């Protein structure tokens, strides 16, 4: 589908694929679930396409998905989700799109039974701007939607609510808008890390791009309908009726990734906070990829395909939020940290001074050594430990800090 949309156009195939992932995850609904511990995961994806104005082709990346949706409605409109493209401004406005019914004077407004809602926010900066307004709770409502939490009234005067929402979102923004408007609050309250952030710009320059043939669009819509019939997406009044599971091999592969890349420290507090939800995102993507194969068992290829997207997202976040100088420094700190690990493995333990003089021969600046030690101490799980010890020579001064490898 992404290749079909990118052929003969300037639109980046990855951007098309990401928007389609968000759309399909919405159309599937809440009938399919994957239990992990006490959490039941559904296929809800928030996608944010980042690209420079005029080069990102952000609007074009959604158009093919909309054409597929239109063809799907002509085949069987019961399977197509509601689409909102008018922009979001408040929690109340979001609730109104999928409310459970309410009274307006003497009139009873009937409930919207189908809670599947795909929000296309072509100006995502608007959402960030609304979140800055005093008393606006839109970002909190979107966090609840990603979690699948029912949206209750924010005020006593407004009694509208929406139970069991299934909201997915496709947003678009320029990198300058994102970095300027994303406040520390969005970084720390879990709003930003609920989005699959991808950097994608036009793949080629074509003065006269070609439209995707309608026959191709119809074939893609037929394939989507097959997937949605398999998942029972038209049963909008039934939740959690189709259980998914990970095969034994997929469980092993996921556990391996969870202990390494999915929780790997990126050496930047901002980047780490933006990628905090890599693990649940991978599970949701793997679920989606398994369903496209018309199966409820997640296998290793689905995990690996999802991990490829996580790696792309990680690279995109680093590209947008870390400057070239910081990125180079971070890479150097990570390389030095590997040398520290090898040194401690051979020596057993060492003080900060010994690491400087014996491991690095006094040729590495103190700040870089501190960065490397910090990377090792703050990784998940920590790779080294530190304890304070008295100076053996009885000299005055602060206690020595002794580093050693953390227990496996």
């Amino acid at each position: 589908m992404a290749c079909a949309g990118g052929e003969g156009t300037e639109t980046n195939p990855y951007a098309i694929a990401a928007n389609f992932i968000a759309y399909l995850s919405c159309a599937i609904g809440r009938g399919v679930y994957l239990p992990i511990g006490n959490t039941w995961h559904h296929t809800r994806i928030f996608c944010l396409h980042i690209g420079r104005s005029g080069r990102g082709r952000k609007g074009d990346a959604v158009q093919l998905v909309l054409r597929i949706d239109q063809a799907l409605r002509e085949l069987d409109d019961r399977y197509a989700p509601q689409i909102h493209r008018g922009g979001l401004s408040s929690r109340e406005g979001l609730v109104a799109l999928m409310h459970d019914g309410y009274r307006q004077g003497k009139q009873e407004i009937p409930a919207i039974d189908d809670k599947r809602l795909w929000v296309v926010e072509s100006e995502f900066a608007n959402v960030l701007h609304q979140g800055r307004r005093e008393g606006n709770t839109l970002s909190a409502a979107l966090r609840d939607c990603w979690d699948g939490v029912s949206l209750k009234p924010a005020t006593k005067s407004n009694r509208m609510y929406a139970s069991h929402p299934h909201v997915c979102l496709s947003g678009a923004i320029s990198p300058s808008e994102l970095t300027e408007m994303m406040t520390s609050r969005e970084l720390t309250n879990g709003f930003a890390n609920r989005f699959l952030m991808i950097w994608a710009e036009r793949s080629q320059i074509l003065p006269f791009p070609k439209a995707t043939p309608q026959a191709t669009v119809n074939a893609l819509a037929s394939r989507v309908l097959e997937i949605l019939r398999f998942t029972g997406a038209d049963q909008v009044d039934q939740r959690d009726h189709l259980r998914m599971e990970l095969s034994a091999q997929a469980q092993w592969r996921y556990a391996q990734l969870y202990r390494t890349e999915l929780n790997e420290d990126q050496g930047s507090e901002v980047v780490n906070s933006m990628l905090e939800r890599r693990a649940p995102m991978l599970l949701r993507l793997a679920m989606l990829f398994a369903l496209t194969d018309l199966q409820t068992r997640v296998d290793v290829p689905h995990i690996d395909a999802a991990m490829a997207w996580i790696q792309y997202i990680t690279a995109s976040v680093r590209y947008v939020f870390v400057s070239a100088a910081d990125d180079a420094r971070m890479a150097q700190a990570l390389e030095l940290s590997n040398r520290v690990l090898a040194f401690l493995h051979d020596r057993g333990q060492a003080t900060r001074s010994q690491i400087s003089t014996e491991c690095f021969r006094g040729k590495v600046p103190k700040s870089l050594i501190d960065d490397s030690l910090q990377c090792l101490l703050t990784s998940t799980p920590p790779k080294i430990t530190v304890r304070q010890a008295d100076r053996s020579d009885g000299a005055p001064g602060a206690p020595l800090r002794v580093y050693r490898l953390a227990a496996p």
Side-chain angles (χ1 to χ4, degrees), residues 1-231:
M1 190 275 292
C3 293
E7 184 177 354
T9 74
E10 294 185 325
T11 311
N12 190 299
Y14 290 98
I16 298 173
N19 282 295
F20 179 73
I21 284 172
Y23 171 81
L24 184 60
S25 71
C26 178
I28 287 171
R30 293 186 69 135
V32 184
Y33 71 100
L34 173 68
I36 302 291
N38 293 321
T39 301
W40 287 17
H41 293 275
H42 301 96
T43 58
R44 277 186 300 276
I45 301 294
F46 284 9
C47 162
L48 186 59
H49 176 188
I50 309 167
R52 289 171 291 181
S53 297
R55 300 185 183 183
R57 292 297 184 262
K58 298 185 284 293
D60 293 344
V62 179
Q63 291 307 312
L64 178 59
V65 183
L66 293 172
R67 289 184 63 192
I68 294 173
D69 173 79
Q70 183 58 43
L72 174 64
R73 293 178 191 277
E74 294 173 2
L75 291 172
D76 195 333
D77 63 0
R78 295 176 302 164
Y79 290 92
Q82 181 187 177
I83 300 177
H84 177 70
R85 301 185 67 192
L88 298 175
S89 59
S90 66
R91 180 191 191 95
E92 294 73 26
L94 179 61
V95 171
L97 297 171
M98 50 184 171
H99 62 79
D100 285 3
Y102 61 95
R103 179 183 291 274
Q104 191 174 54
K106 295 182 178 181
Q107 183 182 9
E108 286 286 344
I109 307 299
I112 298 174
D113 296 325
D114 191 347
K115 306 296 184 182
R116 297 175 302 160
L117 174 65
W118 183 41
V119 176
V120 179
E121 185 58 84
S122 58
E123 298 293 339
F124 189 73
N126 170 65
V127 174
L128 298 178
H129 178 73
Q130 296 297 336
R132 289 181 168 187
R133 294 172 54 191
E134 186 69 28
N136 188 286
T137 56
L138 176 59
S139 63
L142 288 173
R143 294 200 310 269
D144 288 342
C145 285
W146 192 88
D147 295 334
V149 175
S150 298
L151 301 180
K152 298 179 180 180
T155 62
K156 293 182 179 180
S157 59
N158 188 333
R159 304 310 300 168
M160 241 191 330
Y161 62 96
S163 60
H164 310 292
H166 190 77
V167 178
C168 302
L169 190 150
S170 289
I173 195 170
S174 69
S176 58
E177 288 176 322
L178 181 61
T179 54
E180 289 171 9
M181 300 189 69
M182 187 71 75
T183 66
S184 59
R185 182 173 63 181
E186 278 91 12
L187 292 173
T188 57
N189 67 7
F191 176 69
N193 57 36
R194 283 171 166 82
F195 287 83
L196 300 179
M197 295 189 180
I198 65 158
W199 171 272
E201 294 193 338
R202 62 188 179 192
S203 53
Q204 54 187 331
I205 298 178
L206 293 173
F208 300 106
K210 299 178 182 179
T212 304
Q214 189 59 42
T216 302
V217 174
N218 293 339
L220 291 169
S222 296
R223 176 60 175 156
V224 170
L225 181 58
E226 185 181 11
I227 297 168
L228 298 180
R229 282 175 174 163
F230 173 75
T231 61

Side-chain angles (χ1 to χ4, degrees), residues 381-403:
K383 296 180 180 179
I384 63 172
T385 61
V386 59
R387 65 177 178 84
Q388 291 187 344
D390 294 332
R391 294 177 178 271
S392 58
D393 56 3
L400 296 174
R401 294 170 65 84
V402 180
Y403 299 89

